[in-house]
Amino acid sequence: MNINGTPWRSIWMNQDHGPVCIIDQTLLPHELAVRELHTLEQAAEAITVMRVRGAPLIGATAAYGLALGLRADASDHGLLRACEQLTATRPTASNLAWALRRLRRELEPLSAADRPAAALRLAADLCDEDVAINAAIGDHGLRLIRQLLAARGGPARPFHILTHCNAGWLATVDWGTALAPIYKAHDAGIDVHVWVDETRPRNQGAALTAWELAAHGVAHDVVVDNAGGHLMQHGLVDLVLVGTDRTVRSGDVCNKIGTYLKALAAADNGVPFHVALPGPTIDWAMDDGLRQIPIEERSAREVTHLTGRSEQGDLREVQLVPDGVSARNFAFDVTPARLVTGLLTERGACAASEAGLLALYPEQASAA
Ligand code: MRU
């Protein structure tokens, strides 16, 4: 996507054997800084501390991280160690394990001498594929927005979409998943307006989604996480559209903590609740999201403290809670398939069910 007229991706490689470059998302929206990754350890750190985040981008960074690791040690042992180190960074998003499985399958049969260059090529291919997947989700989502607009009828007013967390281009290599249809609708001249949940505790909505939408000129308002129900009760949400970190074959959707509450409010108010779902985010080996998906628990400090820009322009961290308070930080929750109106994949829209998913991905029928 464009920043001040210049096209960017969230991750890229500088020349053939240069460093891997990322946008350091821990500094946004206050500073747009590029960070170079030279080693496996730096790539793993970037995922763990969320310099890069969002399921598809975590997968892409893991792929490049593996390539960086093989530069140092391309033996069988090096390949295994790099995969283990990257797998341990964040547990919830499917894309991480998916990307590593895919590269490992291709790299294992190769000689150690051939592995580093092959790994870089595979990582670059995976990134290009991610861009194509998200662009296709955008096209299918645009069709959904047009249908809902036509069904709504009534007086002309903006089409209000509520989103949670950041499922924009920063969470992927480009386009985003849940934000791709919004960008496409805006570019097609549809008057869209986005309610941006701030998304405590890390504020991906307030910091990243708001920044992205502003850069693209899409109308939006940041709201506190608990405002969604109120907005829906007053007819101010036409569509809830979110991303996902892992969706299982039954259609249960895991996404940023708080997504489930939006789905409950949407069901109570008859608001369509759709999930943008790239193929690599589907976990075909699981069928019960609540029981099986590992939910990341992050540092309590992300709950007890907040970082922002002071009037003087420097970044400061402040404490929100009484000294010594106990806090817990569950990063994701699971929305049962029964609360999901539909899934938007790169292959089209489907019901949040095994039958719906298998109609689009028949090759997965035997993957259970
Ligand atoms: O903890 P994060 O910021 O990595 O969580 C990101 C999300 O929950 C996104 O909604 C999800 O990864 C989909 S991104 C296209």
Side-chain angles (χ1 to χ4, degrees):
M1 302 296 280
N2 287 344
I3 306 175
N4 298 328
T6 307
W8 283 69
R9 283 185 173 189
S10 62
I11 188 166
W12 67 96
M13 175 122 205
N14 242 357
Q15 292 139 10
D16 263 0
H17 291 284
V20 175
C21 297
I22 56 165
I23 296 173
D24 186 345
Q25 299 189 25
T26 61
L27 301 177
L28 285 172
H30 308 297
E31 191 185 336
L32 176 60
V34 172
R35 197 177 175 96
E36 294 186 348
L37 308 178
H38 297 265
T39 64
L40 163 68
E41 287 69 26
Q42 288 171 342
E45 189 262 2
I47 299 173
T48 305
V49 307
M50 295 174 64
R51 300 187 197 286
V52 289
R53 25 71 47 205
L57 181 56
I58 290 172
T61 309
Y64 270 123
L66 179 55
L68 293 173
L70 294 178
R71 275 186 191 169
D73 180 358
S75 66
D76 287 352
H77 173 73
L79 180 58
L80 184 66
R81 195 186 69 88
C83 287
E84 283 172 356
Q85 189 167 344
L86 289 160
T87 302
T89 51
R90 294 191 73 189
T92 301
S94 298
N95 307 57
L96 177 66
W98 169 84
L100 292 172
R101 264 198 318 272
R102 172 166 151 161
L103 264 69
R104 203 171 151 183
R105 198 172 46 234
E106 299 284 334
L107 294 168
E108 260 170 356
L110 303 183
S111 70
D114 289 339
R115 282 176 182 165
L120 282 180
R121 268 197 312 277
L122 290 166
D125 289 350
L126 185 145
C127 287
D128 289 344
E129 201 179 296
D130 180 67
V131 179
I133 286 174
N134 300 326
I137 289 175
D139 292 333
H140 297 302
L142 171 59
R143 203 163 304 130
L144 172 72
I145 290 171
R146 286 194 203 280
Q147 280 163 7
L148 292 173
L149 253 178
R152 187 186 75 182
R157 60 165 177 82
F159 185 82
H160 295 291
I161 300 174
L162 182 137
T163 193
H164 192 66
C165 196
N166 172 263
W169 70 267
L170 288 169
T172 62
V173 178
D174 204 355
W175 277 111
T177 60
L179 294 197
I182 294 174
Y183 290 132
K184 297 230 173 191
H186 171 85
D187 294 350
I190 296 172
D191 185 11
V192 277
H193 166 268
V194 184
W195 297 113
V196 179
D197 284 350
E198 63 177 345
T199 319
R200 283 277 294 142
R202 294 209 42 131
N203 299 307
Q204 291 95 326
L208 306 177
T209 301
W211 181 81
E212 275 194 32
L213 293 174
H216 203 82
V218 180
H220 62 283
D221 287 286
V222 174
V223 290
V224 296
D225 287 328
N226 294 325
H230 166 78
L231 293 170
M232 292 183 220
Q233 286 174 324
H234 290 271
L236 290 169
V237 181
D238 296 300
L239 167 66
V240 179
L241 187 51
V242 297
T244 169
D245 294 84
R246 186 186 300 232
T247 289
V248 300
R249 62 190 295 134
S250 62
D252 293 343
V253 168
C254 181
N255 191 46
K256 181 54 55 192
I257 192 80
T259 302
Y260 170 51
L261 292 179
K262 299 298 166 282
L264 283 175
D268 193 43
N269 290 281
V271 174
F273 179 96
H274 287 260
V275 177
L277 170 65
T281 308
I282 307 170
D283 188 335
W284 294 101
M286 290 186 179
D287 61 6
D288 184 333
L290 265 179
R291 272 197 313 113
Q292 294 177 300
I293 298 177
I295 300 293
E296 178 179 16
E297 186 169 355
R298 297 184 60 83
S299 161
R301 196 173 174 91
E302 293 180 352
V303 176
T304 58
H305 290 68
L306 202 59
T307 301
R309 188 171 57 194
S310 74
E311 299 261 300
Q312 286 68 43
D314 57 326
L315 287 187
R316 281 191 200 165
E317 189 186 58
V318 293
Q319 180 179 320
L320 298 174
V321 295
D323 286 343
V325 84
S326 170
R328 300 283 299 271
N329 185 8
F330 304 99
F332 300 97
D333 63 22
V334 174
T335 299
R338 66 186 156 77
L339 295 174
V340 178
T341 313
L343 303 171
L344 281 171
T345 78
E346 70 277 14
R347 297 193 188 178
C350 71
S353 65
E354 179 159 1
L357 282 167
L358 284 178
L360 294 180
Y361 299 89
E363 72 278 15
Q364 297 292 344
S366 59

